[in-house]
Amino acid sequence: MAAAPPSYCFVAFPPCSKDGLVVFGKNSARPRDEVQEVVYFAAAYHDPGSKVECTYIEIEQVPKTHAVVLSRPSWLWGAEMGANEHGVCVANEAVVTREPASESEALLGMDLVRLGLERGATAKEALDVIVALLEEHGQGGNYYEDGSSCHTFQSAFLIVDRNEAWILETSGKYWAAEKITEGVKCICNQLSLTTKIDAEHPELRDYVKSQGWWNGDSDFNFSEVFSLTDDHLACSSGRESLEKQGGDVSAQAMIDVLRDKDSGVCVDSESFLTTASIVSVLPQDPSFPCIHYFTGTPDPSRSIFKPFIFVDDVKLVPKVQSPSFGNDDPAKKIPRFQEKPDRRHELYKAHEWARSLLENDQDKGQKLMRIMLDLERQGLEAMEDILTRAEVLDPAEVVDLFYDCVDTELKFFK
């Protein structure tokens, strides 16, 4: 059975976070050569009876979908992580349970991330969307762009809004969820739910009894019932990294945690790399905007986080979008993944050059990194100003925000 990539998701609520903010973060650990892109889709209305083509299957579309911004492996339809216009953030973790994941093509956990964001205006709504689709369509299919082997996993999710978060863990169509409203929480590629379960599949306990996994006499512990091992140390190290920040978890503190290679949160191994990262700041006061920071490039220790704010007519950023191959994409042809096209976008290519500079000319590389981190700091300070000023944000002020940040970053690489 394939090992799940060691990704980490975090959320911090007051009083552990600063200034009445909910702070969300995720590192996406994926195969080293996989490209992630950052894409925006505007809110849209859809005709009755219309369908939506996900990564592997087609499902019924809903009458209206919310605006979303996503960080996704560029070969698939869904997303590893993202946010919507209502301040909902969702991230996915691949997990292994005692029940083998299906190789039959269905919805990927990453499809469910996007579907939850497009259809849920709160964290609980997004959860309800995900579990309903799981019941109707199931989960399954290859998690990687690999024609030689099918890598299948079950899914876990961290679903967050301005008021609460839900940890949702699944095995097949069965699931359990825990509600979080305070403190810090970390999930990774291992099951974490124990006996505190605030919502669950109506047939969950009968199912595990029928499998002989639980006799009904002891407390129902989701992780104990469904896990293959008792080892949860990796998730613990991630949580400890965040708890070290005390009551001061901010966007910068979350970025620092995501850059931490010593703890294992920032993955850089023979098989896996943190291929993209996100940090979102969700003010509990709804009069302030949510701010979402994306890298769009691998390894947050040598990438910079660039801010995005939802406004009408937000400017698209082709320089962080991979080439489109349409129906000729090997991911869409049967058999799948017989070729691997070049999916690198302009920013990804620029980062390859920067990585080479860091490795081959340390002085120049370190000088470039200092410039980039200063650019990032200016962006963080400007966003902090938006979250502390009395005046209402003028949308025209930020309609080009993410575009301009990417453009400025590219200029320093030339």
Side-chain angles (χ1 to χ4, degrees):
M1 186 177 290
S7 296
Y8 290 83
C9 302
F10 300 91
V11 66
F13 284 89
C16 295
S17 55
K18 285 182 72 174
D19 306 326
L21 303 173
V22 178
V23 186
F24 164 85
K26 173 175 165 70
N27 271 349
S28 173
R30 298 280 300 171
R32 290 192 66 90
D33 62 347
E34 187 176 77
V35 178
Q36 281 204 36
E37 59 181 349
V38 180
V39 290
Y40 168 82
F41 297 97
Y45 290 93
H46 306 279
D47 294 333
S50 61
K51 306 276 191 181
V52 55
E53 187 178 334
C54 302
T55 301
Y56 296 131
I57 65 168
E58 192 177 71
I59 67 171
E60 297 286 333
Q61 184 56 284
V62 291
K64 182 180 187 297
T65 48
H66 307 308
V68 296
V69 60
L70 309 170
S71 183
R72 68 178 188 183
S74 55
W75 62 269
L76 53 75
W77 179 85
E80 272 280 282
M81 52 212 177
N84 72 18
E85 61 185 304
H86 300 290
V88 180
C89 300
V90 184
N92 169 67
E93 294 284 353
V95 292
V96 175
T97 72
R98 68 194 304 169
E99 189 155 30
S102 174
E103 292 191 8
S104 299
E105 291 186 348
L107 291 173
L108 288 175
M110 291 167 283
D111 293 335
L112 291 164
V113 169
R114 178 171 173 179
L115 290 162
L117 289 168
E118 288 187 338
R119 302 179 181 196
T122 66
K124 182 58 166 60
E125 280 185 18
L127 182 146
D128 291 341
V129 165
I130 289 170
V131 299
L133 291 167
L134 202 55
E135 180 76 22
E136 185 176 357
H137 300 287
Q139 58 180 320
N142 203 340
Y143 251 66
Y144 301 151
E145 187 184 15
D146 184 352
S148 62
S149 183
C150 188
H151 308 264
T152 61
F153 300 101
Q154 310 287 8
S155 303
F157 304 89
L158 182 59
I159 309 168
V160 182
D161 64 22
R162 295 175 188 262
N163 302 306
E164 63 186 33
W166 287 86
I167 296 170
L168 169 63
E169 297 184 345
T170 73
S171 186
K173 71 173 185 178
Y174 297 98
W175 58 273
E178 178 186 357
K179 182 178 175 180
I180 312 290
T181 56
E182 61 182 15
V184 300
K185 201 75 178 179
C186 167
I187 71 166
C188 64
N189 60 305
Q190 299 165 339
L191 297 178
S192 64
L193 296 184
T194 55
T195 56
K196 184 183 181 299
I197 294 174
D198 297 303
E200 64 186 69
H201 189 286
E203 298 166 9
L204 173 66
R205 298 184 193 220
D206 288 340
Y207 174 70
V208 296
K209 279 183 187 176
S210 73
Q211 299 297 305
W213 299 341
W214 180 61
N215 60 17
D217 295 334
S218 58
D219 287 343
F220 181 75
N221 183 312
F222 188 85
S223 292
E224 282 185 5
V225 169
F226 280 99
S227 290
L228 289 168
T229 70
D230 296 326
D231 181 15
H232 296 278
L233 292 176
C235 288
S236 298
S237 67
R239 188 177 65 251
E240 287 161 8
S241 294
L242 195 58
E243 285 174 344
K244 284 177 188 172
Q245 304 293 331
D248 282 330
V249 178
S250 59
Q252 181 65 68
M254 186 66 79
I255 288 170
D256 291 343
V257 168
L258 296 183
R259 285 178 168 149
D260 186 359
K261 289 194 172 179
D262 291 341
S263 69
V265 170
C266 181
V267 175
D268 189 353
S269 68
E270 188 177 337
S271 302
F272 298 113
L273 181 67
T274 299
T275 53
S277 305
I278 181 177
V279 167
S280 293
V281 175
L282 317 176
Q284 292 189 309
D285 181 345
S287 64
F288 290 101
C290 297
I291 302 174
H292 312 282
Y293 300 86
F294 293 90
T295 59
T297 51
D299 190 347
S301 71
R302 54 180 173 82
S303 294
I304 65 167
F305 288 77
K306 299 163 282 291
F308 175 97
I309 296 176
F310 281 93
V311 291
D312 291 340
D313 303 317
V314 68
K315 192 169 184 178
L316 301 180
V317 189
K319 292 169 183 176
V320 288
Q321 293 175 355
S322 294
S324 173
F325 300 96
N327 291 329
D328 291 329
D329 195 316
K332 293 184 178 180
K333 292 179 176 179
I334 306 292
R336 300 192 195 274
F337 312 128
Q338 298 305 294
E339 301 172 64
K340 258 193 178 178
D342 185 355
R343 300 187 187 275
R344 296 173 301 162
H345 49 72
E346 189 172 341
L347 186 63
Y348 187 97
K349 291 177 181 178
H351 266 254
E352 287 185 315
W353 171 83
R355 181 182 65 189
S356 175
L357 185 67
L358 276 165
E359 290 170 352
N360 297 313
D361 189 333
Q362 285 202 342
D363 288 344
K364 283 186 179 177
Q366 292 301 325
K367 182 180 178 183
L368 177 63
M369 275 310 302
R370 285 194 295 271
I371 292 169
M372 302 312 294
L373 289 172
D374 188 56
L375 180 67
E376 178 186 86
R377 180 186 54 77
Q378 291 174 38
L380 286 163
E381 289 174 355
M383 295 306 101
E384 195 166 315
D385 177 62
I386 286 173
L387 294 179
T388 52
R389 68 170 70 154
E391 315 91 70
V392 174
L393 177 68
D394 178 1
E397 188 181 343
V398 295
V399 72
D400 297 343
L401 176 65
F402 190 64
Y403 181 98
D404 288 344
C405 289
V406 171
D407 208 44
T408 303
E409 183 178 5
L410 279 165
K411 282 173 184 170
F412 281 108
F413 290 141
K414 291 177 179 175

